[in-house]
């Protein structure tokens, strides 16, 4: 028996969430008095896992898995879980892990709970806390099945070092026939994605038009941030749909979320409230976003943003 | 082509979220229920297939009698038949099991569900359903084209999108993009009148059981007041973000 964690990589490198789920799996394993096995798929250097408490690494190398495929990945992870007799399987909540987890749950006849934000409060019954109602509430849920799958919300647990001496083994699962083939991937390689970003700079209708996004991109650049927008902005075609965040768009769970010219409608706030620190810049002191934010500037974006860019550049230069 | 659209009946996005019975139940008092927004995009796309490619469109919900108004709305938008599986399912797995039976018995080629429901946010029913019915599965789907049994779909991924080729039978988890916001259908008077005469079949549940139990709900701790920084003193903002919040 062990806790199995799927540590996701991209182009051979671990995603940020991989080390977070490993840290979390270690905490769960300690509660259960057992060890952590990580399963990796085409990851090049897995040495970081030992730093976050992993006792054993199962490395899968298979060129057929170079491109993500939910069914094949789920099957590979399920086979690893069976070999290890894992009773708890931990995955992250990246788009890919969210895609494969329900398939994995059926493969393992395991109860699956998504959007988990804390370590289990109880092990019998096995009880976890998850977000529900798009971050407007938490739900304590118990899992009744023998094998349990936890989807850990991104950024909910953080990285916790716990040095172990991880052993490594190659693992060669058999792959299922697969009816979904990826034909092309269209991804800006030089941009930080909203899911991975520590900082997200988001702008709304207060920006007046798409021609004014230059300063938003520049601010994001200085902060190493991803850019996002409110729903009307993407509906109007000012920004691509992929940038729409909120209840009906992408969820944001970054460390810092900066909202510029966004009123703070309930549907917007629901989707971004898992972010740790929120800053709002808005001309209207009555804008609802001020009730949800940690820091606020009542002011005109066209005046505040360019100044903020200059000051941040100076700050960076001074702290480099 | 036989299409089944899964409809989850959820509180309107502006609803106040409160709980009753010692914080174990969602308080439906004064709450308006709607078609889950992600399902609404899927339903509109299904209508397109019906009109342009000659498909039949059924809608289904697993839930109590109170969800029938939501199913009627889907009929008013243009679905042909509605099915309600009469059970208060306890988790996504139980819903998926009930839906799998409907899909197998009805011989559906394409099942359109939502990426996630905005109340439970499980993002689990469609994937489980696909696996239970041996269908292909594409989630976060933002474009869907079907030619015979060949399917071309686009899915949103972290930081971009991906084009996939697959085939029927297929389950998708849909979202905005499947159709544009401006193309969403609103029921008109004629649709509402016609919906009254369309069949709404109530099925008894199978013996599917849940795998998880919802024990209790909590609301997030109230937030402290915002710290305001003068627009002429942005150095202070940087200072707070660096030294107090420690995020830059
Ligand atoms: C079913 C449903 C789902 C929805 N889902 C989402 C969702 O997922 N995400 C989402 O974002 N929205 C969603 N919405 C829409 C939401 O209700 C709001 O309409 C939307 O968030 C408003 O966007 P906004 O803040 O950019 O625009 P507005 O509400 O128009 O706000 C613009 C703000 O900019 C400020 N401003 C104006 N000029 C300046 C300036 N020069 N400098 C600084 N500030 C300025 C104004 O004071 C105002 O507060 C949804 C709505 C519905 C009905
Ligand atoms: N009770 C239900 N009845 C019918 N369809 C449902 C039900 N619950 C969820 N679904 C479908 O599954 C999708 C994802 O739901 P969830 O897994 O709860 O996030 C929804 O958008 C619906 O299409």
């Amino acid at each position: 028996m062990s806790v199995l964690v799927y540590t996701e990589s991209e182009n051979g490198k671990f995603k940020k969430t991989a080390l977070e789920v490993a840290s979390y799996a270690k905490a769960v394993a300690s509660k259960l008095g057992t060890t952590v096995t990580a399963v990796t798929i085409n990851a090049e250097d897995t040495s970081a896992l030992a730093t976050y408490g992993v006792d054993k690494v199962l490395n899968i190398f298979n060129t057929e898995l170079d491109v993500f495929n939910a069914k094949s990945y789920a099957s590979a992870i399920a086979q690893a879980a069976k070999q290890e007799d894992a009773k708890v399987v931990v995955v992250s909540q990246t788009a890919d892990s969210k895609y494969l987890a329900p398939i994995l749950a059926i493969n393992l006849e395991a109860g699956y709970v998504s959007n988990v934000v804390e370590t289990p409060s109880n092990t019998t019954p096995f009880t976890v806390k998850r977000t529900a109602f798009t971050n407007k509430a938490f739900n304590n849920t118990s899992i009744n099945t023998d094998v349990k799958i936890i989807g850990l919300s991104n950024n909910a647990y953080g990285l916790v070092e716990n040095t172990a001496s991880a052993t490594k083994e190659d693992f060669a699962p058999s792959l299922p026939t697969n009816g979904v083939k990826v034909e092309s991937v269209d991804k800006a390689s030089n941009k930080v994605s909203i899911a991975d970003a520590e900082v997200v700079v988001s702008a709304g209708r207060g920006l007046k038009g798409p021609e004014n996004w230059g300063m938003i991109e520049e601010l994001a650049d200085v902060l190493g941030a991803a850019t996002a927008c409110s729903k009307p902005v993407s509906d109007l075609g000012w920004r691509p749909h992929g940038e729409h965040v909120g209840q009906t768009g992408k969820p944001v769970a970054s460390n810092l979320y900066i909202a510029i010219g966004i009123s703070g409608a309930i549907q917007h706030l629901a989707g971004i409230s898992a972010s740790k620190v929120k800053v709002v810049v808005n001309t209207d002191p009555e804008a609802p976003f001020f009730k949800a934010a940690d820091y606020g500037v009542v002011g005109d974006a066209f005046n505040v943003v360019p100044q903020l860019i200059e000051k941040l550049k100076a700050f960076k230069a001074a702290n480099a | 082509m036989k299409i089944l659209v899964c409809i989850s009946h959820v509180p309107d996005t502006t609803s106040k979220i409160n709980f009753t019975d010692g914080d174990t139940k969602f308080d439906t008092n004064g709450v308006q229920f709607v078609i889950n927004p992600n399902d609404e995009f899927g339903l509109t796309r299904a209508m397109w297939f019906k009109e342009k490619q000659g498909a039949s469109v059924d809608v289904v919900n697993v839930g109590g009698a109170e969800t029938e108004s939501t199913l009627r709305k889907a009929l008013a938008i243009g679905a042909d038949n509605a099915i309600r599986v009469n059970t208060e399912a306890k988790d996504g797995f139980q819903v998926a099991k009930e839906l799998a039976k409907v899909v197998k018995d009805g011989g559906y080629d394409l099942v359109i569900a939502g990426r996630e429901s905005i109340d439970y946010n499980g993002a689990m029913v469609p994937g489980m359903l696909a696996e239970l019915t041996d269908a292909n599965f594409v989630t976060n789907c933002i474009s869907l084209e079907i030619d015979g049994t060949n399917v071309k779909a686009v899915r949103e991924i972290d930081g971009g999108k991906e084009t996939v080729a697959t085939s029927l039978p297929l389950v998708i988890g849909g979202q905005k993009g499947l159709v544009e916001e401006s193309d969403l259908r609103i029921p008109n008077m004629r649709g509402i009148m016609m919906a009254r005469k369309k069949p709404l079949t109530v099925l008894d549940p199978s013996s599917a059981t849940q795998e998880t139990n919802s024990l209790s709900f909590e609301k997030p701790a109230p937030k402290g007041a915002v710290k305001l920084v003068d627009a002429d003193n942005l150095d202070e903002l940087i200072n707070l973000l660096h030294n107090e919040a420690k995020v830059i």
Side-chain angles (χ1 to χ4, degrees), chain B residues 6-8 36 38-39 60-63 95 99 112-117 120-126:
Chain B
C6 303
I7 302 283
S8 112
N36 183 41
N38 290 318
D39 302 345
V60 63
N61 173 266
V62 178
V95 172
L99 291 175
I112 302 183
R115 169 191 77 175
E116 69 172 27
S117 55
Y120 192 67
N121 311 114
M124 59 207 308
V125 169

Side-chain angles (χ1 to χ4, degrees), chain A residues 205 208 230-232 244-245 247-248 261 263 267-268 282 300-301:
Chain A
R205 204 148 50 181
K208 313 278 189 282
S230 66
K231 177 167 172 287
H244 159 202
V245 296
Q247 187 159 16
T248 53
S263 56
Q267 300 95 348
H268 185 89
N282 197 306
D300 186 334

Side-chain angles (χ1 to χ4, degrees), chain A:
Chain A
M1 187 207 153
S2 70
V3 172
L4 187 89
V5 57
Y6 167 50
T7 45
E8 207 176 316
S9 56
E10 186 170 7
N11 302 325
K13 306 269 178 298
F14 283 128
K15 289 189 184 169
K16 190 184 119 198
T17 54
L19 303 176
E20 182 177 25
V21 284
S23 306
Y24 178 88
K26 172 65 183 175
V28 177
S30 304
K31 285 205 172 189
L32 296 171
T34 182
T35 56
V36 179
T37 302
V39 55
T40 72
I41 299 178
N42 295 341
E44 283 156 13
D45 176 5
T46 62
S47 54
L49 292 177
T51 314
Y52 295 94
V54 173
D55 301 288
K56 178 173 175 184
V57 185
L58 292 179
N59 289 311
I60 299 172
F61 293 104
N62 188 328
T63 49
E64 279 178 57
L65 298 175
D66 275 344
V67 177
F68 173 79
N69 183 295
K71 193 179 173 87
S72 302
Y73 273 48
S75 169
I77 298 164
Q79 290 169 57
K82 284 185 182 146
Q83 173 183 299
E84 295 298 306
D85 190 26
K87 296 296 179 219
V88 178
V89 179
V90 181
V91 300
S92 74
Q93 299 278 267
T94 61
D96 289 353
S97 283
K98 269 193 151 162
Y99 189 1
L100 69 81
I103 305 176
L104 180 65
I106 299 299
N107 286 182
L108 289 173
E109 296 181 33
Y112 166 47
V113 176
S114 56
N115 302 326
V116 171
V117 291
E118 284 176 9
T119 52
S121 57
N122 202 345
T123 52
T124 34
F126 195 90
T127 308
V128 287
K129 186 174 182 173
R130 69 187 297 275
T131 58
F133 297 96
T134 322
N135 291 314
K136 291 175 198 162
F138 296 106
N139 183 202
N140 294 303
T141 302
S142 65
I143 312 181
N144 312 331
T145 44
D146 181 36
V147 180
K148 300 152 181 77
I149 304 179
I150 297 179
L152 177 68
S153 278
N154 298 350
N155 266 333
Y157 189 73
L159 302 186
V160 179
E161 291 195 11
N162 244 312
T163 306
S165 52
T167 58
K168 288 181 191 166
E169 269 174 38
D170 284 349
F171 181 66
S174 57
L175 297 183
T177 47
N178 209 311
V180 180
K181 299 255 172 316
V182 174
E183 296 204 316
S184 63
V185 178
D186 175 6
K187 193 166 168 171
S189 54
N190 54 342
K191 280 196 76 179
V192 197
S193 76
I194 292 169
D196 290 334
E198 306 261 349
V199 182
V200 172
V201 175
S202 189
R205 204 148 50 181
L207 269 267
K208 313 278 189 282
E211 67 281 3
N212 297 324
W213 249 262
M215 64 182 187
I216 299 300
E217 290 191 328
E218 194 178 350
L219 178 59
D221 235 26
V222 179
L223 289 164
T227 50
C229 69
S230 66
K231 177 167 172 287
V233 164
S234 73
D235 288 344
L236 288 162
W238 295 359
R239 299 295 290 175
H241 279 313
E243 283 199 4
H244 159 202
V245 296
Q247 187 159 16
T248 53
K250 283 205 171 72
V252 183
S254 56
N255 287 334
L256 174 59
Y257 183 78
I258 304 182
I260 297 158
I262 297 178
S263 56
I266 187 166
Q267 300 95 348
H268 185 89
L269 296 177
I272 60 99
S273 66
S275 294
K276 302 235 159 60
V277 176
K278 284 154 245 156
V279 176
V280 56
V281 179
N282 197 306
T283 41
D284 175 7
E286 301 297 322
F289 213 120
F290 284 100
K291 293 214 167 56
D294 302 280
Y295 302 102
V297 179
V298 178
D300 186 334
F302 296 97
N303 166 32
V304 172
V305 176
Q307 278 194 61
L308 193 56
I309 292 168
E310 289 320 309
K311 289 185 186 293
L312 279 167
K313 280 184 180 161
F315 166 82
K316 270 181 73 176
N319 286 272

